[in-house]
């Protein structure tokens, strides 16, 4: 037990050191005169991404719940007949680049894609001199998910980058990156759907209901209506998912299962959800004012709590919370760079979530961290 605790502390120190190095690169990037130059900008994105991407990329087979499965796919890539097109492509490329042995090539590809497009996305919404808060929150909330659900995390950052371009009216490039995101993981369609829905609603905040020819009329906030409807979703998707589970091929059935995660109902539910409630509260309180031109982010972030609650009944919905979490991170960070009070709250929330999710629950089996070369 003492050995495992010491190993966890060592893993934590290594990860925090990588975060510190990333922060230093952000500082250098913010002080460069040629920071707006395209080549220098993307080189800086790579440098900022490098410490954590390497940390994730050089993990061993016991770090991350799905890592062993990815390694098995790497060695048997020619027999894999399912998964996204990009996954098969990266398996093929990494196997040949890694000479059929070094599976770290596959992990490095995904971790660098995730991190580079995360930094690029944050740079669209936040001043490049003030990226540290957003990056720290990402590292605490979602960073270590890259060691487990790496395909979806790559899709998360790519989809937000695509929607950032769409918001800037760069429709062709936005569509290209959004399509690439769906090729990484089909769940990213929820971001595109959210952008389209809330973009359409941007100038229409209320819907008017009229009863027949009477004078009885009442208005309902459309966004509140969507929020309530999403909470009531289990009443509709449970029977729908049960039908889909019968129809779809066997390998897709896991996405349509409706099971309750009873191991965290009770006090575990409170501990698991509380950090996200604080995240939602600060987003609701301060986020909208900071992103007047990107109101869809605020609306999309409000789906975090419904997704988390519904996620206790559906594995598929549970996997969708990464998207609104990133929206919350962007919104809170935009405010935190202007308020020390919000900055402190953001740091406390991030550390709390990290401690509960990765250290206490050990949900994704990241700790203790083992490197690629330690297993040989």
């Amino acid at each position: 037990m003492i050995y495992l605790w010491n190993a966890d502390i060592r893993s934590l120190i290594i990860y925090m050191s990588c975060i510190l190095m990333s922060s230093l690169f952000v500082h250098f990037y913010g002080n460069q005169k040629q920071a707006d130059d395209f080549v220098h900008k993307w080189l800086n994105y790579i440098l900022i991404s490098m410490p954590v991407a390497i940390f994730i990329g050089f993990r061993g087979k016991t770090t991350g719940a799905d890592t062993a499965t990815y390694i098995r796919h790497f060695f048997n890539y020619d027999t894999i007949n399912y998964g996204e097109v990009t996954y098969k492509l990266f398996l093929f490329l990494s196997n040949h680049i890694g000479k059929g042995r070094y599976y770290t090539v596959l992990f490095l590809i995904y971790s660098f894609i995730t991190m580079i497009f995360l930094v690029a996305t944050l740079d669209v919404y936040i001043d490049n001199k003030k990226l540290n808060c957003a990056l720290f929150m990402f590292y605490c909330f979602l960073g270590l998910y890259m060691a487990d659900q790496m395909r979806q995390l790559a899709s998360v950052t790519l989809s937000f980058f695509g929607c950032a371009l769409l918001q800037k009216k760069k429709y062709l490039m936005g569509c290209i990156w959004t399509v690439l995101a769906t090729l990484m993981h089909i769940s990213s369609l929820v971001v595109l759907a959210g952008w389209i829905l809330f973009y359409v609603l941007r100038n229409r905040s209320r819907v008017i209901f009229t009863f027949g020819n009477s004078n009885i009329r009442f208005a309902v906030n459309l966004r509140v209506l969507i929020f309530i409807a999403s909470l009531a979703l289990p009443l509709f998707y449970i029977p729908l998912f049960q039908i889909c589970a019968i129809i779809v091929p066997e390998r897709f059935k896991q996405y349509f299962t409706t099971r309750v995660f009873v191991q965290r109902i009770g006090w575990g539910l409170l501990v698991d959800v509380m950090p996200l409630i604080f995240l939602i509260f600060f987003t609701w309180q301060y986020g909208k004012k900071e992103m007047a031109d990107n109101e869809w982010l605020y609306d999309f972030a409000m789906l975090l709590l419904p997704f988390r609650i519904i996620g206790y009944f559906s594995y598929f919905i549970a996997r969708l919370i990464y998207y609104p979490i990133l929206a919350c991170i962007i919104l809170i960070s935009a405010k935190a760079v202007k308020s020390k009070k919000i900055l402190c709250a953001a740091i406390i929330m991030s550390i709390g979530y990290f401690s509960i999710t990765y250290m206490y629950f050990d949900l994704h089996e990241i700790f203790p961290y083992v490197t690629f070369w330690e297993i040989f």
Side-chain angles (χ1 to χ4, degrees):
M1 194 72 177
I2 294 175
Y3 168 76
L4 287 175
W5 176 253
N6 290 337
D8 286 351
I9 296 300
R10 183 199 64 180
S11 304
L12 182 62
I13 291 172
I14 295 172
Y15 186 53
M16 290 301 168
S17 299
C18 293
I19 292 175
L20 179 60
M21 290 177 63
S22 179
S23 298
L24 290 174
F25 285 128
V26 170
H27 177 73
F28 295 144
Y29 171 48
N31 288 298
Q32 287 181 4
K33 293 181 180 179
Q34 68 273 43
D36 291 332
D37 178 74
F38 179 83
V39 174
H40 284 91
K41 180 182 290 188
W42 283 89
L43 283 175
N44 279 288
Y45 292 166
I46 294 171
L47 284 174
I48 293 168
S49 305
M50 191 177 296
V52 173
I54 290 176
F55 174 85
I56 298 296
F58 280 102
R59 69 185 184 274
K61 62 183 178 182
T62 60
T63 301
D66 287 345
T67 298
T69 301
Y70 292 134
I71 294 173
R72 187 169 65 252
H73 290 175
F74 171 84
F75 287 117
N76 302 282
Y77 75 94
D78 52 345
T79 64
I80 302 299
N81 57 2
Y82 61 90
E84 297 82 8
V85 174
T86 52
Y87 183 52
K88 296 176 184 177
L89 175 63
F90 291 151
L91 282 173
F92 173 81
L93 291 175
S94 59
N95 189 280
H96 284 75
I97 296 172
K99 299 180 180 179
R101 172 178 174 141
Y102 300 107
Y103 53 78
T104 52
V105 176
L106 176 66
F107 298 159
L108 286 169
I109 288 174
Y110 273 99
S111 59
F112 268 101
I113 288 174
T114 303
M115 285 305 308
I116 289 170
F117 283 97
L118 167 71
V119 179
T121 301
L122 296 178
D123 203 22
V124 172
Y125 294 110
I126 303 170
D127 187 342
N128 60 23
K129 295 180 180 180
K130 302 170 182 176
L131 294 177
N132 273 327
C133 178
L135 283 172
F136 180 77
M137 290 187 70
F138 177 85
Y139 292 146
C140 288
F141 277 91
L142 297 175
L144 291 182
Y145 282 88
M146 290 189 290
D148 180 17
Q149 296 162 352
M150 63 183 190
R151 291 179 297 155
Q152 188 173 3
L153 264 292
S155 177
V156 169
T157 59
L158 273 174
S159 60
F160 271 84
F161 181 70
C163 286
L165 294 178
L166 289 174
Q167 194 69 22
K168 295 173 70 175
K169 302 189 184 303
K170 297 181 179 180
Y171 296 117
L172 177 59
M173 293 304 299
C175 288
I176 290 173
W177 288 113
T178 304
V179 169
L180 285 174
T182 60
L183 293 177
M184 287 283 186
H185 202 276
I186 194 65
S187 64
S188 65
L189 283 174
V190 73
V191 179
L192 180 60
W195 183 85
I196 294 172
L197 175 63
F198 294 120
Y199 185 78
V200 169
L201 296 178
R202 69 191 187 282
N203 295 321
R204 186 175 183 180
S205 59
R206 298 186 304 167
V207 58
I208 307 296
F209 290 94
T210 304
F211 289 94
N213 297 323
S214 66
N215 294 323
I216 301 175
R217 304 177 68 194
F218 65 95
V220 178
N221 187 300
L222 208 50
R223 290 173 173 83
V224 172
L225 193 63
I226 293 171
F227 182 82
I228 295 172
S230 62
L231 282 174
L233 198 59
L235 298 174
F236 303 98
Y237 78 68
I238 288 178
L240 178 63
F241 275 25
Q242 289 173 341
I243 295 171
C244 291
I246 299 172
I247 299 173
V248 300
E250 185 66 31
R251 62 177 179 269
F252 295 118
K253 290 185 184 297
Q254 62 172 324
Y255 294 109
F256 296 97
T257 56
T258 53
R259 61 183 186 272
V260 179
F261 293 89
V262 294
Q263 70 272 23
R264 294 208 304 275
I265 298 297
W267 283 109
L269 174 65
L270 179 65
V271 174
D272 190 29
V273 173
M274 188 57 69
L276 299 182
I277 291 177
F278 283 117
L279 193 66
I280 281 287
F281 173 77
F282 280 95
T283 303
W284 170 74
Q285 188 74 13
Y286 303 107
K288 194 169 186 177
K289 297 177 183 177
E290 297 303 318
M291 290 289 172
D293 296 332
N294 295 281
E295 195 172 328
W296 79 274
L297 267 178
Y298 174 83
D299 295 323
F300 187 72
M302 291 298 105
L303 295 175
L304 173 56
L305 193 57
F307 281 179
R308 174 63 278 185
I309 294 173
I310 298 169
Y312 280 97
F313 302 90
S314 168
Y315 171 73
F316 178 76
I317 301 296
R319 294 282 294 266
L320 297 181
I321 68 165
Y322 308 146
Y323 299 96
I325 284 179
L326 182 54
C328 289
I329 289 172
I330 294 170
L331 292 165
I332 292 175
S333 300
K335 178 64 178 180
V337 296
K338 301 176 182 179
S339 169
K340 290 184 179 180
K341 185 187 296 185
I342 305 303
L343 178 61
C344 290
I347 292 172
I348 292 171
M349 279 190 301
S350 302
I351 293 174
Y353 184 86
F354 182 89
S355 302
I356 292 169
T357 302
Y358 299 112
M359 303 293 288
Y360 179 69
F361 281 137
D362 191 25
L363 292 182
H364 298 272
E365 302 176 18
I366 309 300
F367 291 112
Y369 175 79
V370 177
T371 59
F372 166 77
W373 48 83
E374 283 182 87
I375 64 175
F376 285 98

